[in-house]
């Protein structure tokens, strides 16, 4: 939940403030996870592991992800609108085929096992402690994002979202601002991915399907474009929704009808699809902002 | 050399299918400005419905029914994706079509389960042309795809409805001012594109079985084909589809089948970022 919130904060900055649609944020999440995993797996367990201290690997994960984002961002961000959306989607698909294809490097379909647990000062960070660490880092990301929004750069980015040409005319360095934000959002996703690695201590490509990239966009759409706190709320709501759909879908029957085994997936992609259509048609500012707005209007009566 | 030619021939068959999907995207983009992500879902629906119907009715009739059904669904989707007048931006429409594609694949999973579907090719025997095996199904795909592209070009140039669609692509506002209903034309273009997508799906499914989640890769490949011609040219989409199909199949043959989609996508990314460098900022 906290992990998704971290990615969603970055994506909401990218989509809401700078108006850049990324359908491939899951790629950076996966990249962070695999970076942390490969750096810390001991050589004896996995031939390409580096066996570094997990803490060091965790610190390196967002940095590596941000570096990759900086490199691919230069050509990608030259694209606008539809092209950027498809290009980021393509990025995720390309990364997935590398994960599956380069078995010796990534463990391929079988995944990556034997990742050591995160230890700080002799204490192993698992379970509740891990959750606490994640949320503490969510707060850090949140503060960074809020500061950015209120800064000169934040105003520049909002100008870009309205019109790139007029922002450029007003003296905003469009390309560099977009790239820096793209790198920051990728860094957040990379950090979340690294933390995910030390939650499960096992990586499988099945955890990073295209659906997660779509899920992050759903979170931002629910929480409201252009609101950092909305992104966190969206992540919480969608994760809970996902949990209840899973519970509901695994039931044997509903109202006397037998449910087929595919029900959880059907419910998940169906609900996401519905959210996209409804939000874009009727609540372009996001589901939750529309909901609280309606409550406020009711309260005033 | 024979091996190379064989790879090219197989690549052409999937290339013509990508081209059909891409041409549909071009038509919608020209008329409405929307990039339709659900184009892959149309192909999957066309394929899956035909593969199910062939058990009960003759193949030709099954295909025809599937195309009509998908065209109707496509028109309805177009109505939703066009959104509310003046309120829905083009990028919002893209997300709507993404949502519709997700909804469609949920329905596909529910109705057709996750088993890959297929049905027999038009002929069990294939031809041997100088050592290269040519399946009649390849020829069928090529003919249908070329005929559709020609017919569509003819309709756009020579008929009143076609001219109205072209008018929309030139300027939606001007088209409205001369009394055209841009919205109905948009719905029409979605229906026609859906029919083209369905054709692509039902022709390729005997060669490559499809499942409920095949739509993403079809949509991305179709977009890549359409982007080759800048999303606005039928000929460009046709050329793009063929280049992509051949390139991907050469990757399968000479490098690694794992990287089929990846290399195709890298080619697409290079082409569109090269193109964008030559476009004036809008």
């Amino acid at each position: 939940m906290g992990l998704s919130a971290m990615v969603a904060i970055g994506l909401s900055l990218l989509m809401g403030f700078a108006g850049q649609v990324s359908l491939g944020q899951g790629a950076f999440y996966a990249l962070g996870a695999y970076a942390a995993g490969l750096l810390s797996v001991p050589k004896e367990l996995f031939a390409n592991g580096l066996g570094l201290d997990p803490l060091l690997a965790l610190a390196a994960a967002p940095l590596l992800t941000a570096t990759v984002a900086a490199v691919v961002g230069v050509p990608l961000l030259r694209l606008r609108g539809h092209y950027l959306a498809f290009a980021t989607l393509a990025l995720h698909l390309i990364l997935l085929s590398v994960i599956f294809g380069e078995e010796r490097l990534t463990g391929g379909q079988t995944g990556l096992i034997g990742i050591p647990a995160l230890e700080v000062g002799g204490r192993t960070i698992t379970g509740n402690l891990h959750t606490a660490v994640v949320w503490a880092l969510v707060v850090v990301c949140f503060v960074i994002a809020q500061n950015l929004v209120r800064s000169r750069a934040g105003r520049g980015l909002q100008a870009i979202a309205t019109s790139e040409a007029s922002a450029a005319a007003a003296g905003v360095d469009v390309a560099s601002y977009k790239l820096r934000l793209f790198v920051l959002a990728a860094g957040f996703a990379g950090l979340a991915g690294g933390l995910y690695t030390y939650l499960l201590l096992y990586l499988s490509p099945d955890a990073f399907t295209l659906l997660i990239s779509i899920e992050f966009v759903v979170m931002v759409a629910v929480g409201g474009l252009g609101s950092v706190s909305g992104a966190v709320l969206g992540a919480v709501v969608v994760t809970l929704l996902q949990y209840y759909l899973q519970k509901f879908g695994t039931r044997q029957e509903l109202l006397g009808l037998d449910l087929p085994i595919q029900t959880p997936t059907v419910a998940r992609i169906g609900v996401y699809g519905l959210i996209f259509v409804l939000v874009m048609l009727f609540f372009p500012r996001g589901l939750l902002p529309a909901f609280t707005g309606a409550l406020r209007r009711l309260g005033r009566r | 050399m024979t091996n190379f030619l064989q790879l090219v021939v197989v690549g052409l068959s999937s290339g013509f299918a990508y081209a059909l999907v891409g041409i549909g995207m071009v038509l919608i983009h020209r008329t409405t400005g929307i990039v339709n992500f659900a184009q892959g879902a149309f192909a999957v629906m066309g394929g899956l419905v035909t593969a199910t119907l062939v058990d009960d009715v003759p193949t030709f009739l099954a295909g025809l029914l599937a195309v009509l059904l998908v065209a109707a669904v496509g028109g309805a989707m177009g109505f939703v994706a066009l959104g509310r007048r003046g309120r829905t931006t083009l990028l919002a429409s893209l997300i709507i079509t993404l949502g519709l594609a997700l909804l469609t694949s949920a329905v596909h999973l529910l109705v057709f389960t996750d088993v890959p579907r297929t049905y027999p090719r038009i002929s069990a025997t294939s031809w041997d042309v100088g050592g290269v095996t040519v399946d009649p199904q390849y020829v069928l795909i090529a003919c249908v795809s070329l005929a559709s592209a020609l017919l569509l070009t003819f309709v756009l140039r020579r008929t009143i409805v076609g001219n109205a669609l072209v008018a929309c692509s030139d300027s939606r506002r001007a088209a409205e001012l001369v009394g055209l209903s841009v919205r109905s034309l948009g719905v029409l273009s979605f229906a026609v594109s859906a029919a083209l997508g369905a054709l692509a799906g039902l022709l390729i499914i005997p060669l490559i079985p499809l499942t409920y989640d095949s739509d993403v890769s079809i949509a991305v490949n179709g977009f890549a084909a359409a982007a080759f011609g800048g999303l606005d040219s039928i000929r460009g989409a046709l050329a793009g589809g063929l280049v992509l199909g051949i390139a991907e199949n050469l990757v399968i043959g000479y490098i690694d089948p794992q990287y089929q989609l990846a290399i195709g996508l890298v080619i697409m990314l290079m082409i569109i970022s090269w193109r964008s460098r030559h476009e004036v900022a809008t």
Side-chain angles (χ1 to χ4, degrees), chain B residues 164-191:
Chain B
L165 287 171
V166 174
C168 287
S169 70
D170 282 346
S171 161
R172 273 179 283 286
R173 173 165 288 183
E176 234 162 33
L177 282 173
V178 296
L180 294 173
S181 166
V182 172
R183 201 180 173 89
S184 340
L185 288 168
V187 170
L188 176 68
S189 70
F190 263 85

Side-chain angles (χ1 to χ4, degrees), chain A residues 87-223:
Chain A
T88 46
L89 186 77
L91 199 64
H92 192 152
L93 289 173
I94 292 169
L95 185 74
L96 278 180
S97 59
V98 172
I99 291 177
F100 278 110
E102 297 300 309
E103 231 163 280
R104 273 178 306 158
L105 181 67
T106 63
Q109 178 70 70
T110 35
L112 202 57
I113 48 167
I115 298 161
L118 195 59
E119 256 178 60
V120 178
R123 289 196 63 170
T124 318
I125 296 183
T126 50
N128 285 337
L129 192 57
H130 186 277
T131 315
V133 169
V134 168
W135 278 104
L137 288 169
V138 170
V139 172
V140 173
C141 293
F142 184 82
V143 171
I144 295 176
Q146 281 291 14
N147 275 331
L148 179 76
V149 169
R150 298 214 181 99
S151 70
R152 187 184 154 83
R155 287 191 296 275
L157 288 165
Q158 288 173 49
I160 291 174
T162 321
S163 158
E164 287 193 14
S166 49
V172 176
D173 185 351
V174 174
S176 134
Y177 270 34
K178 280 203 294 192
L179 183 63
R180 277 190 274 173
L181 183 62
F182 188 67
V183 168
L184 181 73
F188 285 178
L191 179 62
L195 287 164
Y196 169 85
T197 301
Y198 296 110
L199 176 65
L200 288 193
L201 304 181
Y202 162 70
L203 288 177
S204 148
D206 297 332
F208 303 103
T209 56
L210 206 56
L211 205 55
I212 63 162
S213 272
I214 288 171
E215 201 164 84
F216 294 136
V217 182
V218 173
M219 289 170 185
V220 174
V222 167

Side-chain angles (χ1 to χ4, degrees), chain B residues 132-152:
Chain B
V132 177
T133 315
V134 178
D135 196 294
Q137 188 82 21
Y138 303 164
V139 181
L140 182 67
I141 296 179
C143 290
V144 171
S145 174
L146 283 173
S148 312
L150 283 175
L151 187 67
L152 191 61

